[in-house]
Amino acid sequence: SQQGEEDPQALSIQEGENATMNCSYKTSINNLQWYRQNSGRGLVHLILIRSNEREKHSGRLRVTLDTSKKSSSLLITASRAADTASYFCATGLLIYNQGGKLIFGQGTELSVKP
Amino acid sequence: EAQVTQNPRYLITVTGKKLTVTCSQNMNHEYMSWYRQDPGLGLRQIYYSMNVEVTDKGDVPEGYKVSRKEKRNFPLILESPSPNQTSLYFCASSRGHSNQPQHFGDGTRLSIL
């Protein structure tokens, strides 16, 4: 299986509810990043959390990282219809002589119904 | 406005006809890369470049070429496209290396018949 695996694959909620997406990975990481992809568009970087950080906030987004469990979660509070998108975690690895590598999970499709 | 620009956005072509997808960024980023996105397989890196004249293979480089003659441009070349290269392609750039937040283009949807 892949370095980054996301759960659930799809999530459907009502506007105003919170949405939680999880990401698990296998190897030690330098950082973990979350991206959003609207249908037919490129990925947009949301937030980066370093391996020595446990929690980070940005607006309605809250990301946690548990390196002992090799997992991360993305919480979107008070969701809006405009949050409907696919969300990807990406693990940043340090690789000697290559500078680094970023490995993407397969994503969670979030649907927020008005 | 900071952006990564890919062209074309859509292309339908035939097997064996050479094509180039251009990518340009205006942020003076050192690192650039190409990904392909396929259902069930996520994003997979094709090639990357850490700076001008420095390129290297990603996870799925077969059938592709790249060049990095200028810092802002990183074209993806398919010398002899085949139907298994039908996919959605993304160019991305960042400061430093790939561990940094990536800026993505809007994608190029290629169909090889």
Side-chain angles (χ1 to χ4, degrees):
Chain A
S1 55
Q2 306 211 12
Q3 161 72 345
E5 291 194 0
E6 288 160 83
D7 172 60
Q9 290 188 342
L11 180 61
S12 182
I13 59 174
Q14 294 293 132
E15 213 166 23
E17 294 180 338
N18 295 341
T20 300
M21 289 159 267
N22 303 297
C23 173
S24 60
Y25 57 91
K26 296 180 180 226
T27 63
S28 295
I29 61 172
N30 183 51
N31 64 52
L32 188 142
Q33 304 176 33
W34 286 90
Y35 290 79
R36 183 187 75 232
Q37 183 181 31
N38 289 91
S39 181
R41 304 299 299 273
L43 281 73
V44 174
H45 180 262
L46 296 175
I47 198 164
L48 180 152
I49 185 165
R50 292 183 172 78
S51 59
N52 61 352
E53 297 175 313
R54 292 296 166 257
E55 188 170 312
K56 208 158 181 182
H57 297 255
S58 177
R60 293 184 296 112
L61 305 181
R62 173 178 167 249
V63 168
T64 61
L65 179 64
D66 187 335
T67 52
S68 66
K69 294 181 179 177
K70 292 187 168 57
S71 67
S72 173
S73 67
L74 170 67
L75 168 68
I76 304 174
T77 60
S79 64
R80 305 165 181 167
D83 294 327
T84 294
S86 293
Y87 292 82
F88 294 86
C89 72
T91 47
L93 313 179
L94 281 177
I95 298 180
Y96 178 71
N97 258 356
Q98 288 185 28
K101 189 173 179 68
L102 196 62
I103 301 178
F104 287 84
Q106 294 193 33
T108 293
E109 281 190 35
L110 173 65
S111 174
V112 182
K113 295 180 172 23
Chain B
E1 180 190 349
Q3 58 186 1
V4 177
T5 304
Q6 295 179 228
N7 279 297
R9 292 290 316 280
Y10 305 92
L11 180 63
I12 301 173
T13 188
V14 296
T15 299
K17 186 176 180 182
K18 180 180 178 180
L19 68 92
T20 299
V21 184
T22 63
C23 174
S24 181
Q25 50 93 4
N26 62 0
M27 294 166 281
N28 202 34
H29 284 167
E30 294 83 12
Y31 186 91
M32 296 186 75
S33 63
W34 278 101
Y35 293 89
R36 60 179 289 175
Q37 185 177 32
D38 302 287
L41 297 175
L43 270 87
R44 295 177 293 168
Q45 190 180 55
I46 304 169
Y47 267 94
Y48 65 92
S49 169
M50 293 179 68
N51 215 323
V52 177
E53 302 291 2
V54 181
T55 63
D56 211 341
K57 297 176 181 178
D59 298 315
V60 288
E62 294 77 21
Y64 304 95
K65 284 174 57 177
V66 293
S67 68
R68 187 92 182 271
K69 293 183 169 50
E70 307 161 283
K71 199 171 188 179
R72 63 184 293 126
N73 296 323
F74 191 45
L76 179 69
I77 303 156
L78 285 72
E79 294 268 2
S80 184
S82 62
N84 65 10
Q85 293 178 297
T86 292
S87 187
L88 180 57
Y89 291 85
F90 290 101
C91 180
S93 73
S94 68
R95 290 171 46 208
H97 54 69
S98 66
N99 267 222
Q100 300 301 312
Q102 299 292 300
H103 296 253
F104 280 82
D106 274 339
T108 295
R109 188 168 289 282
L110 283 184
S111 292
I112 316 293
L113 305 178

